[in-house]
Amino acid sequence: MMSRVPIFPTCCIFAVLFVISGLAVAAEKVKYKLIFPEHENHYVQVEASFGDCGPQQQVFMPVWTPGSYLIREYARHVDSVEASDAKGTKLAIKKVNKNRWQVDNSEKQSSFTVRYRIYCNELSVRTNFVDSQFALLNGAAVFLTRNESSEQEHVVAIELPSQWKQAVTALERRVELGANIFVAKDFDELVDSPIVAGNPNLHPFTVGGIEHFLVNLGDASLWDGDKAASDVAKIVAEHQKMWGQSPYKRYLFLNVIAESGGGLEHDNSTVLLTSRWSFRSPDRYNSWLGLVSHEFFHTWNVRRLRPKVLANYDYEVENYFEELWVAEGVTSYYDDLALARSGFNSTRKHLEDLSKRIRSLQNKNGRLKQSLALSSHDAWIKFYRPDENSSNTSISYYNKGSVVAFLLDIEIRRATENKKSLDDVMRALYEKYALKEGYSNADVLAEVNQITGKDLSEWFDRAIYSTEELDYQAAFDWLGLKFVVPSSGEEATKAAANGPIWTGISTKTEDGKTLVSSIVESGPGFDAGINVDDEIIAVNDYRVSSSLSELLDQFKGDKEVELLIARRGALSKVKLKMETRASSIWRVELVKKPTVEQKKNLATWLHQPEKKK
Ligand SMILES: [Zn+2]
C-alpha cells in the first residue's frame, strides 16, 4: 500500500516559506531552510536563522550524534559559510574552533541568518548522503545551532528538487504551513529526527492502536513492502508486549535500500540501511528483521531509558559512561530473542545465533584484557576505531553484553524459580528511570537484587567489571544446553587433534599476494614472529597460490613448517608450529535427553507453548 501522507506540489513551498517569514515566527525560534540546487553533486544548502542574537554570537555544529559514540567532526563537510542580518547586509563571521563560528553582530540587529553548504557523500546511518535520487540527512551533521536556543522550537522548511515527491521525518509536520515544513520542540528532537527525501514508498500498519510506517527509499523494486511491513508489525507487537507500554504516538522505519548496512535508533523512528537483494535471500532478510528488532527495542532501551550521562547530551565532546552493555548488549540479546519468541527463528536457529556470539567472545584474547565497563567507557577510542590488533586487546560491548544479558536472564529465572526474568528488570528500570535522570550500573544491580531477593553483586562484578571468564554451566544446566565439544578434558583434546590447522593469523589477498591482516596474540603465528602486512610467499618451499590454509593442510601431522615471507621488500624464513584446534568448541546445542524441568524452562524462556503429550 502506498503513502497515506498527503503530498503537496513543491511549487507551494516558496509561498509557504514567505508566509513563515511574514508571520515573523516568534523571534526566539530557530528557522532552517534546506535546498538542493546541487543535489546531483552531493550538496545540500542550509539557511539557519536566529533571533535575539548577542553582539558576538557563536553558533556550533555537533561533533557526534547520539547512538554512535565517535567524534565525527561533522563540520569538516561544511563550506561557503556566510552571515547576513535581517536586511540582507553581510555580517563578518569567523571560525573560532573546529565546530564553532562567531558572527559579528555588534550593530545589534535582533536576528541574523547563516548560510552554508554541506558535502553529503557518506552513506551511513549517522552521516549525510545526497545524490540525484534521494537524501538522507542526520540532524547533528546538518544543523548549526547555539547554546541559547537548545530548548526552543526549531522549524525546518525543505524545498525539494522537482523530481522528488516527498520528505519524510518523525518531526511534527505543520500541514497548515505546507507539505515539507516540520517543527522540532527543541534541538535534541531536531538531532533525533533524521530526514529522508526523494520518492519513498510508504507502507502503513497499526499495532497496539499506534500508526507505524515502513518507508522504503532507494531501489525498492525487489522488495515486497507490504509483506515486509507485516513482518515488522509482528516484531513491533513482540516488543510492545515485553515492555507493556508504548511511549510514542507514531513510528517510522526509514529503510534506505542502497547497498549499504547498519541502523540507528531514534525516539520515534529508526534509519535502516540495507540492500536491494535483502528481500530475496532468506538469510539476509532474517538479518534485516534482526536489525529492525534491534533498533526498535532501542525505542525504550537507550532512547527513553538512558544511562545517567546520556540524560543530557553534550554534543561537543565525548560523553563517557560504563553502561553500554545495557544500552547495546541487552538490546542485542533481545533482538534475537524477539525473533525466536515471535516465531521467525526456530530454537535451533536461536541457539546457532547464541553460539556465534559466545564463539566470537571466547575466541578473542581481548576478553582477558578489557572488561565490559571499560569497553563501554572507551567506545570512543577503541570500539569505533578498530585496528588489526583490536581483537587482542578489546571486546565488543554488543557481543559480550548480549552474552552477559543471556546469563543474567537465566540467573534471575533460576533465582526466582522462573517467576521473574530480565524482562521484569528492564520494565522496572524503565518505570524508575526512563525520561528522568537515567540509571547507573549500580541501579541495574539494585534492581536485579530487588527482583531476585538475592545479592548478585559478586556475579555482577565478575561479569561487568572483571575480565574473568564467564561461567556458562549453571545457565546451560537450567535450560538443558551443552557445548558440542567441551572446552577442556579428554573429549576436547580428541576434537582438537581432529580439527583444522590453527595458525592464529588471518590473511587477505591483494594483487595476488597473501598478506597477513591480523594475528592472535600468543598464537602460533604470533610466537613465530610473523607481523601484520608480512607477505607469505611459500610453505616448505612450495609457493602459496590460492589458499594458505589449504597448503598448510598438506603438512598436517608435521610438528612445524618453514614459511618464506617478505617484509618491506626483504625475504626471510620463519618456523611455524603446526597446531590443531576443534572448530566446534563453542557451539551450543540441546542435550539429548532433557529433563521435564529443562524442557519447561526452555519453553518459558522462548515463550513457546508447552507441548501436550
Ligand atoms: Zn544498538
Side-chain angles (χ1 to χ4, degrees):
M1 195 168 164
M2 296 292 287
S3 166
R4 290 194 304 181
V5 176
I7 297 166
F8 293 80
T10 46
C11 58
C12 293
I13 300 283
F14 288 108
V16 168
L17 290 176
F18 177 77
V19 171
I20 280 200
S21 310
L23 278 177
V25 174
E28 65 275 12
K29 286 183 185 174
V30 182
K31 294 180 285 176
Y32 301 95
K33 179 177 164 187
L34 304 182
I35 58 174
F36 299 87
E38 302 169 285
H39 62 295
E40 293 183 350
N41 306 105
H42 306 296
Y43 282 101
V44 60
Q45 287 187 14
V46 186
E47 284 183 19
S49 300
F50 304 89
D52 287 339
C53 299
Q56 295 296 330
Q57 180 68 56
Q58 288 199 5
V59 293
F60 76 93
M61 178 169 269
V63 301
W64 69 285
T65 197
S68 187
Y69 308 100
L70 176 70
I71 300 297
R72 294 187 185 274
E73 315 292 22
Y74 292 122
R76 72 199 167 100
H77 295 303
V78 172
D79 67 52
S80 309
V81 183
E82 51 183 53
S84 58
D85 65 17
K87 294 175 193 154
T89 308
K90 276 204 170 182
L91 299 174
I93 181 167
K94 67 173 180 182
K95 201 85 191 275
V96 290
N97 71 17
K98 64 180 183 180
N99 66 313
R100 281 184 167 259
W101 291 259
Q102 186 166 293
V103 179
D104 181 358
N105 193 36
S106 47
E107 296 299 315
K108 292 192 180 169
Q109 292 285 337
S110 65
S111 62
F112 63 71
T113 298
V114 179
R115 291 177 183 79
Y116 52 100
R117 202 169 72 134
I118 309 172
Y119 181 64
C120 307
N121 191 25
E122 193 175 346
L123 187 53
S124 85
V125 295
R126 60 258 162 159
T127 50
N128 298 320
F129 184 81
V130 174
D131 75 357
S132 57
Q133 296 184 339
F134 67 86
L136 164 60
L137 300 174
N138 273 292
V142 170
F143 299 111
L144 285 184
T145 190
R146 57 179 188 167
N147 293 342
E148 300 86 335
S149 305
S150 59
E151 303 294 320
Q152 293 160 358
E153 274 197 352
H154 290 64
V155 181
V156 183
I158 305 172
E159 185 181 316
L160 295 176
S162 58
Q163 310 91 324
W164 296 1
K165 70 179 182 188
Q166 197 174 2
V168 182
T169 169
L171 290 174
E172 183 195 342
R173 187 187 291 267
R174 282 285 160 89
V175 283
E176 72 277 18
L177 297 178
N180 292 311
I181 296 187
F182 304 92
V183 179
K185 69 176 189 297
D186 54 27
F187 188 66
D188 283 340
E189 188 176 76
L190 185 69
V191 165
D192 182 52
S193 307
I195 299 166
V196 298
N199 297 302
N201 296 329
L202 274 66
H203 304 273
F205 57 94
T206 302
V207 185
I210 303 171
E211 197 171 39
H212 302 70
F213 290 87
L214 173 62
V215 180
N216 279 343
L217 186 71
D219 180 6
S221 59
L222 302 178
W223 277 64
D224 179 343
D226 289 337
K227 161 78 170 74
S230 110
D231 287 343
V232 172
K234 288 178 195 155
I235 294 166
V236 167
E238 187 62 43
H239 287 324
Q240 283 187 351
K241 192 168 72 183
M242 188 243 129
W243 286 100
Q245 56 179 297
S246 303
Y248 55 92
K249 293 191 178 122
R250 178 173 169 265
Y251 193 93
L252 305 173
F253 293 88
L254 303 172
N255 189 38
V256 182
I257 305 169
E259 308 315 295
S260 190
L264 191 66
E265 67 276 9
H266 300 284
D267 275 1
N268 304 307
S269 65
T270 176
V271 176
L272 311 162
L273 283 178
T274 188
S275 160
R276 58 170 64 85
W277 306 109
S278 293
F279 195 82
R280 297 229 158 166
S281 146
D283 283 350
R284 291 178 77 167
Y285 186 62
N286 188 267
S287 297
W288 181 78
L289 292 176
L291 181 67
V292 166
S293 178
H294 182 98
E295 302 308 335
F296 188 64
F297 193 84
H298 276 313
T299 305
W300 294 264
N301 190 28
V302 96
R303 285 308 317 166
R304 289 163 177 89
L305 173 60
R306 295 186 196 173
K308 271 192 171 73
V309 169
L310 295 184
N312 293 296
Y313 302 122
D314 185 335
Y315 291 107
E316 296 190 83
V317 295
E318 293 89 346
N319 294 215
Y320 295 106
F321 58 105
E322 295 185 335
E323 290 85 10
L324 269 171
W325 73 275
V326 180
E328 292 299 349
V330 169
T331 300
S332 297
Y333 172 59
Y334 277 99
D335 68 35
D336 268 0
L337 197 55
L339 292 193
R341 286 175 171 177
S342 52
F344 287 104
N345 288 352
S346 64
T347 303
R348 175 194 284 263
K349 163 79 172 133
H350 187 62
L351 295 182
E352 272 172 21
D353 291 341
L354 178 64
S355 303
K356 275 185 205 158
R357 291 181 177 193
I358 293 175
R359 193 157 52 238
S360 171
L361 172 66
Q362 296 299 142
N363 284 333
K364 278 195 177 69
N365 280 333
R367 77 190 191 283
L368 306 172
K369 310 267 174 44
Q370 190 187 46
S371 68
L372 261 182
L374 188 57
S375 168
S376 172
H377 183 277
D378 279 353
W380 303 86
I381 59 166
K382 293 202 172 181
F383 183 77
Y384 274 91
R385 287 182 173 166
D387 60 31
E388 75 282 355
N389 202 39
S390 293
S391 67
N392 286 321
T393 57
S394 60
I395 46 134
S396 156
Y397 46 80
Y398 284 86
N399 187 48
K400 184 171 179 182
S402 71
V403 174
V404 166
F406 158 68
L407 295 174
L408 181 59
D409 190 9
I410 306 306
E411 195 66 19
I412 297 165
R413 289 166 187 271
R414 287 176 62 229
T416 60
E417 294 175 344
N418 228 351
K419 291 188 183 70
K420 299 285 177 186
S421 70
L422 188 58
D423 299 9
D424 296 284
V425 171
M426 295 309 293
R427 283 190 289 262
L429 288 171
Y430 193 87
E431 280 301 317
K432 273 191 190 166
Y433 301 106
L435 301 172
K436 296 174 193 156
E437 78 274 24
Y439 67 87
S440 65
N441 278 338
D443 295 326
V444 178
L445 172 62
E447 207 52 55
V448 170
N449 286 345
Q450 168 79 25
I451 279 178
T452 57
K454 300 200 167 159
D455 182 4
L456 290 182
S457 46
E458 209 174 303
W459 189 100
F460 198 83
D461 280 351
R462 177 172 171 174
I464 311 302
Y465 290 101
S466 90
T467 54
E468 283 177 54
E469 295 281 19
L470 297 176
D471 184 356
Y472 301 95
Q473 201 55 53
F476 278 24
D477 286 348
W478 195 78
L479 288 169
L481 304 179
K482 63 165 189 165
F483 286 119
V484 175
V485 177
S487 56
S488 59
E490 207 177 303
E491 209 179 323
T493 314
K494 213 187 299 171
N498 295 325
I501 298 286
W502 183 67
T503 61
I505 61 176
S506 303
T507 58
K508 60 184 175 183
T509 305
E510 269 180 21
D511 300 330
K513 295 175 181 172
T514 301
L515 301 173
V516 177
S517 53
S518 66
I519 300 180
V520 175
E521 191 173 318
S522 302
F526 181 92
D527 291 343
I530 293 170
N531 287 183
V532 166
D533 291 336
D534 283 351
E535 179 190 355
I536 301 184
I537 300 170
V539 178
N540 284 353
D541 291 335
Y542 292 94
R543 179 150 198 128
V544 178
S545 50
S546 57
S547 163
L548 174 65
S549 57
E550 265 179 34
L551 186 53
L552 285 170
D553 270 344
Q554 307 311 313
F555 301 98
K556 201 171 174 185
D558 289 4
K559 280 198 172 151
E560 61 180 27
V561 292
E562 189 174 67
L563 301 187
L564 176 64
I565 63 168
R567 181 178 301 165
R568 295 191 295 279
L571 300 180
S572 61
K573 287 187 170 178
V574 296
K575 303 273 189 202
L576 177 75
K577 277 197 182 142
M578 295 286 275
E579 288 186 21
T580 52
R581 196 163 83 160
S583 54
S584 56
I585 191 167
W586 298 110
R587 214 175 84 220
V588 181
E589 66 175 22
L590 296 169
V591 295
K592 287 224 162 52
K593 290 182 181 169
T595 64
V596 174
E597 278 304 300
Q598 286 171 331
K599 277 188 194 168
K600 195 175 127 209
N601 294 341
L602 187 82
T604 312
W605 176 49
L606 297 178
H607 291 187
Q608 292 165 339
E610 275 191 66
K611 283 180 191 149
K612 288 180 188 146
K613 289 212 168 174

